[in-house]
Amino acid sequence: MNRLFNNIYEGRRVLITGHTGFKGSWLSIFLMELGAYVIGYGLNPCTDKDNFLVSNLKDRMIDVRGDIRDDKGLMEVFERFSPEIVFHLAAQPLVRKSYEIPKETYEVNVMGTLNVLECIRKTDSVRAGIIVTTDKCYENREQIWGYREDDPLGGYDPYSSSKACVELLTASYRSSFMNPKDFSCHGKALATARAGNVIGGGDWSKDRIIPDCIRALMEGRPIKIRNPMAIRPFQHVLEALYGYLLLASKMCEEGISYSGPWNFGPDFNSVVTVERIVNIIIEKWGNGGYICLNDEKAPHESQLLMLDCTKAKTCLNWNPVLNIDEAADLTVEWYKGLIQRADIYKLCCSQIKRYCEKIEGKGEGHV
């Protein structure tokens, strides 16, 4: 796998905030398979079935528990481990929960990111920092074409708005302290990564469609769908993470050219309705059903959202390689593996290996 990134991660000190979360745990495994020395800083896992726990990652990497709002605790980790690459994933990641805890959502997502940016700025060892945001950071006009990186930022709900704030904050730090024009002086590259709706094994978040599906299927009850006709850009978690890894590798080699915002979304054929993805999951699972809810008092959720990934495809040679059925196959395989008491770490590694073989087979992503 290393040849996909010119062996750039072998022996590198890489810090991940939010390593105990869904995407963070997968990124940790991916990096360890690439030979990186991985340090994680994050909260305790939310459930005893989280990928971090069932993959036993605490014994495979440096596992530091802490809140990104704790600027002193975070700085101590940077000072102790001197990371070369930073992936910032820690966040309050749920739209509906942001209506319940708006203040905390902004504190975690905006002020937490500010703390990470300060640590990156003050730590000489850091060469590349990727701040992970979301496709929801755009001012969503429910348009039928995808948003590009230079489209206006916005956000109806507190979560989306907080991520737009993170984009503006990161852009300010990049201009003020890590400007590509002055790269020879500071030696740091800073980027943001905006992905679509990622799916995959080990996600148990409340009010996300795949975890909702899996919980219902495991319990033998109908899946409840709030917005069956809402259109979402679904993609497997490995598609987005591969994009982040490819971007960071380029930033380490040519920081001047790869700073800035990047979209990593699925191809058009994976932009489907919520009802469609539910039917796909039920088909892969082998049984089950669903009911559509009609809650007029439910908080606002967007109906249509797509990304234009021309920049990543052109400048990084990054392209999605999994269609929606393949993404669902891998997702259901993980949850069935958990039920069957499989070695989840080995299962994750197997899925990563198969994904990378698919990348290599298409001749994409070589640096």
Side-chain angles (χ1 to χ4, degrees):
M1 294 195 306
N2 277 335
R3 73 189 188 92
L4 292 172
F5 305 105
N6 263 353
N7 209 35
I8 202 157
Y9 290 105
E10 182 70 37
R12 289 263 189 172
R13 298 183 306 278
V14 182
L15 172 65
I16 303 171
T17 70
H19 68 297
T20 56
F22 166 48
K23 289 171 73 174
S25 63
W26 275 98
L27 181 58
S28 298
I29 296 171
F30 209 147
L31 280 163
M32 285 188 281
E33 288 299 288
L34 292 170
Y37 180 81
V38 184
I39 308 106
Y41 182 88
L43 300 175
N44 294 330
C46 295
T47 79
D48 60 2
K49 296 181 289 186
D50 280 17
N51 190 39
F52 180 86
L53 288 179
V54 296
S55 295
N56 197 31
L57 296 190
K58 66 181 179 64
D59 294 329
R60 303 176 188 271
M61 60 184 290
I62 301 299
D63 171 29
V64 182
R65 303 297 169 86
D67 194 313
I68 54 170
R69 290 172 291 181
D70 177 8
D71 57 340
K72 292 182 180 178
L74 184 61
M75 192 68 228
E76 287 175 2
V77 172
F78 273 76
E79 291 174 344
R80 179 181 175 187
F81 295 103
S82 301
E84 301 165 79
I85 301 170
V86 177
F87 291 97
H88 173 44
L89 281 73
Q92 193 298 93
L94 302 175
V95 170
R96 286 171 69 88
K97 189 174 182 180
S98 75
Y99 285 106
E100 301 170 7
I101 52 167
K103 183 174 182 289
E104 183 176 336
T105 297
Y106 283 102
E107 288 173 345
V108 172
N109 293 354
V110 181
M111 297 308 296
T113 300
L114 177 61
N115 291 337
V116 173
L117 290 170
E118 272 290 276
C119 290
I120 290 174
R121 180 176 74 88
K122 294 177 178 179
T123 305
D124 292 340
S125 61
V126 176
R127 290 292 169 263
I130 292 184
I131 310 299
V132 175
T133 62
T134 175
D135 58 350
K136 297 174 182 64
C137 69
Y138 292 103
E139 180 185 336
N140 190 1
R141 301 169 182 171
E142 307 282 348
Q143 63 192 31
I144 61 173
W145 53 88
Y147 294 96
R148 292 184 175 181
E149 286 84 352
D150 56 359
D151 279 335
L153 301 172
Y156 184 105
D157 56 88
Y159 166 74
S160 303
S161 170
S162 73
K163 288 297 189 173
C165 292
V166 167
E167 289 283 350
L168 293 171
L169 173 60
T170 305
S172 173
Y173 259 69
R174 183 169 50 246
S175 297
S176 302
F177 308 113
M178 289 162 262
N179 198 303
K181 295 179 181 178
D182 304 320
F183 184 77
S184 60
C185 298
H186 56 72
K188 300 178 188 293
L190 185 63
T192 55
R194 307 162 181 176
N197 286 42
V198 295
I199 66 174
D203 186 7
W204 299 99
S205 299
K206 184 181 178 182
D207 292 327
R208 276 189 183 155
I209 190 59
I210 300 303
D212 286 349
C213 286
I214 298 300
R215 278 188 289 263
L217 292 169
M218 283 182 167
E219 295 167 11
R221 56 180 174 79
I223 300 163
K224 296 179 180 179
I225 309 178
R226 296 189 307 271
N227 294 297
M229 293 298 105
I231 298 173
R232 296 287 185 268
F234 293 104
Q235 64 188 140
H236 193 268
V237 62
L238 292 178
E239 299 270 42
L241 297 184
Y242 186 83
Y244 304 166
L245 290 166
L246 184 57
L247 174 59
S249 69
K250 290 284 192 180
M251 291 165 69
C252 288
E253 294 182 334
E254 305 173 56
I256 295 175
S257 303
Y258 294 93
S259 294
W262 297 82
N263 286 343
F264 296 102
D267 283 332
F268 185 75
N269 60 7
S270 292
V271 181
V272 299
T273 65
V274 170
E275 187 173 33
R276 174 64 180 141
I277 192 66
V278 169
N279 276 311
I280 292 172
I281 294 296
I282 289 173
E283 177 188 347
K284 305 297 181 184
W285 192 264
N287 58 67
Y290 65 91
I291 56 175
C292 297
L293 304 177
N294 183 18
D295 184 1
E296 295 180 355
K297 296 182 180 180
H300 172 271
E301 293 184 80
S302 63
Q303 295 299 306
L304 175 63
L305 181 60
M306 292 184 289
L307 292 175
D308 183 327
C309 302
T310 302
K311 180 181 176 183
K313 292 178 179 180
T314 303
C315 302
L316 294 175
N317 195 26
W318 174 88
N319 283 281
V321 297
L322 300 174
N323 60 39
I324 192 69
D325 285 295
E326 292 169 320
D329 277 332
L330 291 175
T331 301
V332 170
E333 180 187 50
W334 190 98
Y335 289 105
K336 287 198 169 184
L338 182 68
I339 293 172
Q340 296 161 3
R341 300 184 181 276
D343 185 320
I344 297 299
Y345 184 83
K346 287 184 179 179
L347 177 58
C348 290
C349 291
S350 171
Q351 291 194 354
I352 291 170
K353 181 181 179 181
R354 281 179 275 158
Y355 176 80
C356 289
E357 287 172 349
K358 200 171 181 69
I359 291 279
E360 290 175 315
K362 292 198 173 186
E364 295 168 347
H366 294 267
V367 297

